[in-house]
Amino acid sequence: MTEKKVSLMEGFKAFLLRGNVIDLAIAVVIGAAFTNIVNAIVKGVINPLVGAFGTKDLESYSSCLKGPCATDPKTGEATEGIRILWGSVLSATLSFVITAAVVYFLMVLPMAKYLARRAAMQAAKAGVQETLEVSELEVLEEIRDVLVSQRSTPADESRGQDPGRGHNE
């Protein structure tokens, strides 16, 4: 039973130190801070634009499903009828779309372009390295071919000398 506890703790320690947990924690903190920015954009820009066509508060858009809808002016709760609060759904949807757009255009797209440029540079470096390796190989093959051809051609034999021996025997 001790071995199982030790292995569980080692596994947990490995999980914490893997890096994914830290990345996730950073993402949550940045996401929470980013939520404030998105909420400010919705409250300061989107709601006034929608307010130009209706009310500034999207949450107040609603429809009455059954019977005459009446609300208590003090509490704001429905006292009669069934009220559908579609304004809150619209507000949440707009908030989501704005968040997705800001994340995509300000974070994902620039990072994708950066990574594509980096990959292209690495591919170019790899191509240059491969070309250098191929060039070196070709040069070595040419040297080998020249040496082989020098050994096999009877250029020295025409002068009456054995290529393996010295000039003076």
Side-chain angles (χ1 to χ4, degrees), residues 107-122:
M107 293 181 192
V108 173
L109 193 60
M111 183 58 79
K113 287 183 179 180
Y114 168 74
L115 291 175
R117 278 191 306 227
R118 188 171 173 198
M121 286 175 35
Q122 287 178 347

Side-chain angles (χ1 to χ4, degrees), residues 17-112:
L17 297 177
R18 189 176 339 165
N20 295 347
V21 174
I22 293 171
D23 291 342
L24 182 61
I26 291 169
V28 168
V29 170
I30 295 295
F34 190 71
T35 300
N36 291 333
I37 294 170
V38 172
N39 287 339
I41 291 172
V42 170
K43 187 176 182 181
V45 177
I46 302 299
N47 284 350
L49 289 174
V50 172
F53 302 105
T55 179
K56 285 185 179 180
D57 185 17
L58 291 178
E59 304 285 330
S60 67
Y61 285 126
S62 64
S63 297
C64 193
L65 183 64
K66 181 179 177 185
C69 289
T71 57
D72 185 8
K74 294 179 182 177
T75 61
E77 293 183 20
T79 57
E80 294 181 32
I82 299 173
R83 185 173 300 271
I84 303 295
L85 303 173
W86 59 271
S88 60
V89 174
L90 178 63
S91 177
T93 303
L94 280 175
S95 181
F96 172 77
V97 169
I98 291 168
T99 303
V102 170
V103 166
Y104 180 75
F105 289 113
L106 295 182
M107 293 181 192
V108 173
L109 193 60
M111 183 58 79

